[in-house]
Amino acid sequence: MESPLDQIRTLVDLAESTPGTWECELRPETYLVRQRGHEEYEVEVSSRRVVIDAELGTLDDARIVIGGYAKVVSSALTTAVAVQLRHGSPAGAVSLE
């Protein structure tokens, strides 16, 4: 069974179009994710040229924002991901065992 985060990654597929820019097409909109700095991303609805979130730390955060905005990710799934991330080990963590 896929984890909640894997489910979101499946629903909101980001494809890198140019270095530092990813696209996701969820009809009728196309979403652009741009890396603005180290661990700084923003999401834009390209047809409207409107930034819907500009303070994101990871591409997974961008997937969650896009999925919620496009209504393809339920609030329950978003909550499950938040719990998963809170209880998981941070990236690069070294076990002390």
Side-chain angles (χ1 to χ4, degrees):
M1 182 172 175
E2 286 186 321
S3 73
L5 185 55
D6 288 335
Q7 291 177 43
I8 289 176
R9 288 176 178 155
T10 300
L11 291 168
V12 182
D13 185 33
L14 295 176
E16 191 167 21
S17 55
T18 59
T21 302
W22 294 262
E23 290 185 23
C24 175
E25 186 176 331
L26 294 173
R27 299 253 181 230
E29 299 289 352
T30 299
Y31 300 87
L32 298 176
V33 178
R34 290 190 186 90
Q35 186 170 15
R36 294 294 180 204
H38 179 69
E39 296 184 6
E40 291 180 29
Y41 299 88
E42 72 177 19
V43 175
E44 176 185 305
V45 180
S46 65
S47 65
R48 299 179 192 159
R49 293 192 171 149
V50 173
V51 173
I52 56 174
D53 204 323
E55 297 181 13
L56 303 168
T58 67
L59 287 175
D60 286 331
D61 292 340
R63 286 181 178 95
I64 292 166
V65 167
I66 292 167
Y69 191 84
K71 298 185 181 7
V72 297
V73 174
S74 70
S75 60
L77 185 55
T78 301
T79 301
V81 169
V83 169
Q84 175 186 350
L85 294 175
R86 201 171 343 174
H87 293 296
S89 298
V94 177
S95 172
L96 298 177
E97 296 178 1

